[in-house]
């Protein structure tokens, strides 16, 4: 009897046994619900390729570092070229004289080379005029160096002039009694003259460009500056101006 009472008391203490009717009550686990998903379990959207990303950035107006650097370099090059064109505009008469003198030199070399080749004694004929022509060619190179400050000034126009003066330098080194017979001679003359044509066309374009301000540069060598000019007469000496002033005061 005591044993039966103990079992009944224990059952009452523990409550309903598993499997017995528990009504609408849910377990704690059911009430909490499933565990929260981790970052790795969250479904990701479609990945965007680097090309697509760049396209979207470009459409939005963004520029890459390379694009920005390229634009800055282009702007700087444009600015320097404008300065070089203004430099030439301030000296265009000297540049035109240079190309004109070079054409005359080429004509003389062509004429004399024919005489050397047809002479009974080509070396003797060459000795009469060859050295002088060679000196003139060197003088032309020196004049170009002086105008361009040894190639520093002139920009794209200087590049064009180099297309004429480099072959001229080679021609000067090749001067000799048999030059007229060399098949490359005529081609060299043609190349130099074509480059001179191109350079002179550039001079004309520079002269007509009203956006270029030649006065930004130092006075052209050989021209009088404004500092030595008197207000009452261009090029008048200071003493002469004073003398005129005194004369007017009398």
């Amino acid at each position: 009897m005591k044993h039966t009472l103990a079992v009944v008391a224990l059952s009452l203490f523990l409550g309903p046994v598993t499997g017995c009717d528990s009504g609408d009550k849910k377990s704690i686990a059911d009430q909490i619900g499933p565990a929260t998903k981790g970052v790795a379990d969250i479904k990701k959207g479609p990945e965007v390729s680097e090309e697509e990303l760049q396209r979207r950035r470009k459409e939005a107006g963004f520029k890459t570092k390379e694009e920005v650097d390229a634009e800055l370099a282009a702007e700087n090059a444009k600015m320097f070229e404008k300065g070089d064109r203004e430099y030439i505009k301030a000296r265009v008469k000297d540049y035109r004289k240079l190309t004109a003198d070079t054409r005359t030199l080429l004509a003389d070399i062509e004429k004399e080379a024919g005489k050397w080749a047809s002479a009974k004694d080509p070396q003797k004929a060459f000795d009469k005029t060859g050295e002088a022509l060679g000196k003139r060619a060197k003088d032309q190179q020196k004049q170009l160096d002086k105008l361009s400050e040894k190639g520093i000034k002139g920009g794209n126009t200087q590049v064009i002039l180099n297309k004429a003066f480099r072959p001229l330098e080679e021609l000067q080194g090749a001067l000799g009694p048999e030059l007229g017979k060399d098949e490359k001679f005529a081609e060299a003359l043609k190349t130099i003259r074509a480059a001179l044509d191109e350079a002179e066309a550039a001079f004309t374009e520079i002269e007509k460009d009203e956006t270029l301000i030649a006065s930004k540069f130092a006075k052209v060598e050989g021209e009088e500056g404004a500092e030595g000019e008197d207000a009452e007469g261009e090029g008048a000496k200071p003493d002469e101006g004073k003398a005129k002033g005194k004369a007017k005061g009398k």
Side-chain angles (χ1 to χ4, degrees):
M1 183 66 178
K2 291 182 179 180
H3 178 71
T4 301
L5 291 173
V7 171
V8 173
L10 182 60
S11 298
L12 290 173
F13 177 77
L14 292 175
V17 181
T18 303
C20 296
D21 185 10
S22 59
D24 295 331
K25 293 183 178 180
K26 295 181 180 180
S27 66
I28 295 176
D30 289 337
Q31 292 180 40
I32 295 175
T36 304
K37 294 181 179 180
V39 176
D41 297 324
I42 298 175
K43 186 177 180 181
K44 296 181 179 179
E47 293 186 1
V48 180
S49 66
E50 183 65 26
E51 292 76 11
E52 176 63 16
L53 181 60
Q54 292 298 331
R55 185 187 69 78
R56 293 182 184 180
R57 287 176 59 83
K58 188 173 183 179
E59 288 180 352
F62 290 98
K63 295 180 181 179
T64 64
K65 181 179 182 301
E66 291 74 15
E67 289 174 332
V68 173
D69 290 344
E71 288 182 1
L72 288 174
E75 283 297 319
N76 287 337
K78 185 177 180 180
M79 179 184 66
F80 284 122
E81 177 60 19
K82 185 175 186 293
D84 283 320
R85 287 164 65 83
E86 289 174 333
Y87 178 89
I88 290 176
K89 189 168 187 175
R91 297 157 176 77
V92 71
K93 290 183 179 179
D94 294 327
Y95 273 97
R96 285 196 179 280
K97 183 178 186 306
L98 175 70
T99 55
D101 289 347
T102 303
R103 286 187 186 280
T104 301
L105 172 63
L106 292 176
D108 291 345
I109 291 176
E110 187 175 23
K111 179 181 177 181
E112 292 302 316
K115 291 181 179 180
W116 302 335
S118 61
K120 291 183 179 180
D121 189 340
Q123 183 61 52
K124 185 177 181 180
F126 172 76
D127 291 341
K128 290 181 180 180
T129 56
E131 184 177 350
L133 289 172
K135 184 180 183 304
R136 284 171 60 189
K138 289 181 179 180
D139 289 341
Q140 291 300 99
Q141 294 284 355
K142 290 179 181 178
Q143 184 61 22
L144 177 61
D145 286 343
K146 185 177 181 180
L147 280 173
S148 66
E149 296 184 7
K150 295 187 176 181
I152 296 175
K153 302 289 188 179
N156 292 333
T157 309
Q158 176 64 25
V159 174
I160 296 172
L161 286 168
N162 287 341
K163 290 162 60 177
F165 279 80
R166 283 172 182 165
L168 177 62
E169 186 176 10
E170 294 176 0
L171 181 60
Q172 181 265 320
L175 289 177
E178 303 298 324
L179 178 63
K181 298 178 181 180
D182 191 333
E183 59 184 14
K184 295 180 180 180
F185 176 51
E187 188 63 29
L189 293 175
K190 182 179 178 180
T191 297
I192 297 170
R193 284 167 173 155
L196 292 175
D197 289 342
E198 191 177 353
E200 288 166 357
F203 298 156
T204 299
E205 183 182 345
I206 288 171
E207 283 180 308
K208 293 180 178 179
D209 191 341
E210 296 180 356
T211 66
L212 302 178
I213 305 173
S215 61
K216 287 168 59 176
F217 291 87
K219 66 179 182 180
V220 180
E221 188 169 341
E223 294 184 359
E224 288 294 328
E227 295 178 358
E229 296 176 1
D230 185 75
E232 297 181 340
E234 186 175 343
K237 294 180 181 179
D239 292 341
E240 292 177 348
K242 291 179 181 179
K244 289 181 181 179
K246 291 178 180 179
K248 289 181 179 180
K250 290 181 180 179

